[in-house]
Amino acid sequence: LTIDVQNDFCDPEATPGRSAGRDVSMHVKMIDGILQLVDEGRKAGIPIIHVRYEDTPWSVSEAAGEQRMRQKGRRDAGLLNSAYALCVPGTFGAEFFRLKPQPEDIIVTKHRYSAVIGTNLDLTLLSLGRKSLIFCGGGTNICLESSVRHAFMLDYYCVVVSDCSPTPWGEEAYKASLANIELAFGEVVTLKQ
C-alpha cells in the first residue's frame, strides 16, 4: 500500500510546500525508494494499492474542519475555502507525485487519516485474500500510523518500510512513530530487508 503519495504531500511546488512552509524534503528524498518498492512488488505479483486522500465539501464536516485548523494553529474559516485544503479533486495537489498507477493497480480514496476507516480497503483486501500488508508513503506519524493501527486491529499483519515512509513533521516525530509501530502494531523494515 502506498499512502498519500500525492503532490500536496510530497511536491515542494505544491501549495503546502510553497506557501504553508511544509517541509517535504524527506518525501523528495524517499520517493525513489517508494517507486522501487512498488516496482518490485509488481514484479513479484503482489497487488499494488494506492491510497489517496481527498478533501471535498461533503467529506469534511464543519466540526472536523475547525478541529484540524485549531490543531494546525490556523484560525481561518472554511477548510475548503482556505489555502490549506489538501488534495482537492481535480487539482494538481491531488495528483500522484511521480507515481504512475498501472491499470492492474487498485486506488482507494480516503477522507480521513486512516486508509481503513470509511473506505473499501478492508473489503478489497478480503476479496484479494490478503492478510499481510506492506506500507510505504507519507505522513509516517499521522496517516501511515493511523492506517497501520486500524489494519492491525482488523488482524492484518503489517510491515512498514521505514526508508520509504516520510513525514513533513521532522525526525523526532518520524522516529517516535516507527518505534510505536514496532512496539505494538507491526514490523518495521528497510527497503533492503
Side-chain angles (χ1 to χ4, degrees):
L1 283 90
T2 68
I3 306 291
D4 299 345
V5 183
Q6 295 165 268
N7 289 327
D8 269 352
F9 296 120
C10 304
D11 192 321
E13 294 303 312
T15 300
R18 227 176 344 94
S19 64
R22 184 180 294 220
D23 181 6
V24 296
S25 60
M26 191 183 283
H27 293 73
V28 173
K29 178 180 167 187
M30 292 187 182
I31 188 63
D32 288 336
I34 294 169
L35 298 175
Q36 179 185 343
L37 181 63
V38 167
D39 188 50
E40 289 177 12
R42 282 194 188 109
K43 288 177 186 173
I46 297 171
I48 304 298
I49 300 174
H50 304 289
V51 179
R52 67 180 173 197
Y53 176 77
E54 288 184 350
D55 267 340
T56 63
W58 57 265
S59 67
V60 181
S61 71
E62 186 175 337
E66 288 175 12
Q67 177 64 24
R68 287 188 202 173
M69 289 302 154
R70 276 194 301 280
Q71 288 171 328
K72 293 177 170 58
R74 299 175 185 137
R75 302 262 179 229
D76 53 344
L79 178 66
L80 291 174
N81 295 325
S82 77
Y84 301 110
L86 295 171
C87 304
V88 175
T91 67
F92 169 76
E95 294 172 10
F96 290 107
F97 177 67
R98 292 189 49 202
L99 194 61
K100 306 282 189 241
Q102 299 301 303
E104 66 273 13
D105 293 351
I106 298 163
I107 297 176
V108 171
T109 301
K110 67 185 178 80
H111 304 284
R112 298 292 187 266
Y113 296 143
S114 174
V116 180
I117 301 297
T119 71
N120 65 345
L121 181 60
D122 185 45
L123 178 62
T124 300
L125 294 168
L126 291 172
S127 297
L128 293 170
R130 299 293 169 155
K131 289 305 285 181
S132 296
L133 309 176
I134 301 170
F135 287 85
C136 68
T140 316
N141 57 316
I142 297 179
C143 294
L144 188 133
E145 185 176 343
S146 295
S147 300
V148 170
R149 284 173 179 252
H150 289 133
F152 172 81
M153 298 298 182
L154 293 176
D155 296 324
Y156 288 98
Y157 181 80
C158 301
V159 176
V160 174
V161 184
S162 62
D163 51 350
C164 296
S165 301
T167 187
W169 289 279
E171 194 74 19
E172 188 175 313
Y174 170 75
K175 287 180 179 177
S177 184
L178 294 176
N180 243 3
I181 291 167
E182 185 75 62
L183 176 69
F185 303 108
E187 187 176 350
V188 177
V189 302
T190 64
L191 185 58
K192 292 186 178 176
Q193 291 175 304

